[in-house]
């Protein structure tokens, strides 16, 4: 698991690649969220879209593309 202290574009790109890969493998949105929890990430629905966050501390990592959250 990567500890994100400040938003680094390279780390964010790597995490987003992991999230995308897991979404392609998952059969449903619920399974995808469960898979992400195994990596220490969660999806939070906010006013400005779905946000990827770290699970224990709920630190925002990035805003997720809308096509992933279907």
């Amino acid at each position: 698991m990567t500890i994100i202290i400040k938003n680094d574009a390279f780390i964010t790109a790597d995490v987003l690649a992991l999230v995308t890969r897991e979404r392609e493998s998952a059969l449903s949105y619920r399974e995808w969220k469960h898979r992400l929890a195994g990596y220490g990430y969660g999806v939070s629905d906010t006013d400005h879209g779905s946000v990827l966050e770290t699970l224990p501390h709920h630190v925002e990592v990035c805003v997720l593309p809308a096509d992933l959250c279907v």
Side-chain angles (χ1 to χ4, degrees):
M1 180 172 88
T2 305
I3 298 173
I4 298 175
I5 297 171
K6 58 182 178 177
N7 286 344
D8 181 12
F10 295 112
I11 293 175
T12 302
D14 287 342
V15 171
L16 198 53
L18 169 77
V19 168
T20 303
R21 187 175 61 242
E22 288 299 319
R23 183 63 179 122
E24 291 170 355
S25 298
L27 298 176
S28 66
Y29 181 73
R30 183 177 175 182
E31 179 188 356
W32 176 57
K33 289 177 73 172
H34 183 73
R35 285 173 170 257
L36 291 179
Y39 289 105
Y41 297 105
V43 177
S44 175
D45 295 323
T46 63
D47 293 336
H48 58 278
S50 296
V51 174
L52 182 70
E53 61 184 11
T54 60
L55 270 184
H57 305 293
H58 300 286
V59 176
E60 286 190 12
V61 178
C62 64
V63 176
L64 294 171
D67 61 334
L68 285 178
C69 302
V70 177

